[in-house]
Amino acid sequence: MTRLMTTTTAILVGLAAPLAAQDSHQWGEKNANFEPAFENQTRADLVSSDLSYAYREIVSGLEHPWAIEALPRDKGLLVTERPGRLVHVSMDGDVSDPISGLPKIFNQSAGNSTQAGLLDVKIGPNFDTDRWVYFTYAKGKGDGMSVTAAARGKLSDDMSELTEVQEIFEQTPPSPAAMHYGSRIVFDGSGHAFITTGEHFSDEERVKAQDLNTTYGKVVRVNLDGSIPEDNPFVGQEGAIDSIWSYGHRNVQGAAMRGDQLFVVEHGPAGGDEINIPLAGLNYGWPVVSYGVRYGGGDIGTGRAQAEGMAEPAYYWDPVIAPGDMTFYEGDMMYDWQGDSLVAGLVSAGIVRLEWDGDRVSAEERLFTDYGRVRDIEELSDGSLILATDYEDGALIHVTLDSSGS
């Protein structure tokens, strides 16, 4: 029996890159030879939007920008820089001094990779009245140990400081591996926050994605103040942490709501990046099953991609795209994109767009690949887009329709 299929209403997910790059896109050799569970679960038909784009660099010189959040009434952007800075950026490219009030950020490297730091940022659902800003970060626990954490603080009117900072989630237990933190935070519109985590990568720790007594490789759900909703699926279950919503995830670095349904996108190993639609209490398989293999070759877990009682991804990539964040497009500027999801890509470069038929993908498009590693994508109130490139000299790129007729 295959992993459980989840269902939802029709949407569109995507990654964007220049049209010429889309026309020349080649899938490349697969890392694994698994058969998908259903048609178009991977390598859906490639399509091209009949659109021309204009690009403007708002600012460069940001150090590994990780997340962008547009402020209401066109008041500019909040941007996290992974080393531990939260700044305000105007659409004219003015960058503020670091906003004060953040807790101490853990920014230790792991080998040649630095994944720890200041990660996501979102304004709260009632920001206009309460000024709450939510953020996720790597938190040091001493002796090189760290966890994923989430907190909130009130942003001052002049956007210079956060006050009343309070933690709303801390991963458990601490990890010696400074890798795979997740980590996005999104709101469901009903007074809850979903927070995504990673499983810290190592063979010893990745198995904890299946352990309900840890918050490794999980989607967690809390109330806005960090308390636990009484209707979480594992509340009161012996040996399970009350905040867990779903489990068996690897490293979830993208998340977005479509109506009242959560979508997440997570890094796989060599092959097997996944889009999942996490439902309460379901197991999404990692590391028992995967559509990928180890980076050096060899099986993951059981060496299978599907197993009874483990939910199927809605879509997967092999080779990987190495996903950043995702968003659902709601505007009118990029006509015919309403309801589409746009997913940032680090290895694939640019943005990926997927067309859906119900809960199944029908087509994929690659966009904006000239910009290389894109960590986050944000839609502005006018329907234009902001891309954050993930480099030591990272940039914010404003994407609009090209009105010149070219």
Side-chain angles (χ1 to χ4, degrees), residues 57 63 76 82 95-96 105 136 157 166 177 193 204 224 238 272 294 296 299 317 353:
E57 183 179 279
E63 188 174 359
R82 194 182 63 209
V95 181
S96 73
I105 306 297
T136 63
D157 289 339
Q166 53 190 243
E204 294 77 14
L224 297 181
E238 185 176 356
R294 291 178 177 271
D299 291 340
W317 288 274
R353 182 177 72 85

Side-chain angles (χ1 to χ4, degrees), residues 64-80:
H64 292 288
W66 213 90
I68 322 160
E69 176 73 338
L71 291 166
R73 295 180 296 282
D74 302 323
K75 295 295 185 180
L77 311 166
L78 294 178
V79 180
T80 60

